[in-house]
Amino acid sequence: INYRNSFLPKILGAIETDTDGTKIYVNMKLNVFAKIFSIIWCGFMLLLGIVLLSKNIFELQPFYMIVFLYIMTMVFFKFESIKSKELLQNIFEAEIISE
């Protein structure tokens, strides 16, 4: 890619010969640093939300931030994983079979 995206999937795979042809198994995971950042961010927001609620301050913004991070992560990761699937499909001249 020609741009920076922290949600770029890490692609792991295996190639296996079968009677029907060759099968390529692909597993896409979120980058380790993006996972660590997300866990720290969500933990901080959760802690902040609990502290605010314990002081009878009814603020939901920290919980909205957790939802926002989740949606942002899923959208950008899915966008990049779809592009990666298409690229792999073109490189290997393959068809995608979901199991």
Side-chain angles (χ1 to χ4, degrees):
I1 63 173
N2 297 327
Y3 52 91
R4 180 153 175 89
N5 185 347
S6 298
F7 302 105
L8 195 64
K10 180 178 180 181
I11 302 172
L12 302 171
I15 300 174
E16 184 179 284
T17 305
D18 194 350
T19 56
D20 298 329
T22 303
K23 291 185 179 181
I24 302 170
Y25 296 95
V26 176
N27 187 3
M28 295 187 192
K29 295 183 178 183
L30 190 60
N31 184 324
V32 174
F33 296 111
K35 278 184 191 178
I36 292 170
F37 173 79
S38 298
I39 290 169
I40 292 171
W41 177 264
C42 288
F44 179 74
M45 287 295 129
L46 187 61
L47 182 63
L48 180 63
I50 291 170
V51 167
L52 290 174
L53 288 176
S54 70
K55 295 186 182 229
N56 292 328
I57 302 172
F58 193 69
E59 293 291 330
L60 294 177
Q61 283 87 357
F63 302 109
Y64 293 150
M65 293 298 290
I66 293 172
V67 172
F68 172 75
L69 178 67
Y70 176 77
I71 291 171
M72 185 179 72
T73 301
M74 290 297 110
V75 167
F76 287 120
F77 179 79
K78 196 64 169 170
F79 174 74
E80 292 296 342
S81 68
I82 289 170
K83 284 177 39 179
S84 297
K85 281 181 187 177
E86 291 172 357
L87 180 63
L88 289 170
Q89 189 176 5
N90 289 336
I91 289 172
F92 292 111
E93 298 175 357
E95 61 182 86
I96 296 176
I97 301 173
S98 299
E99 291 184 2

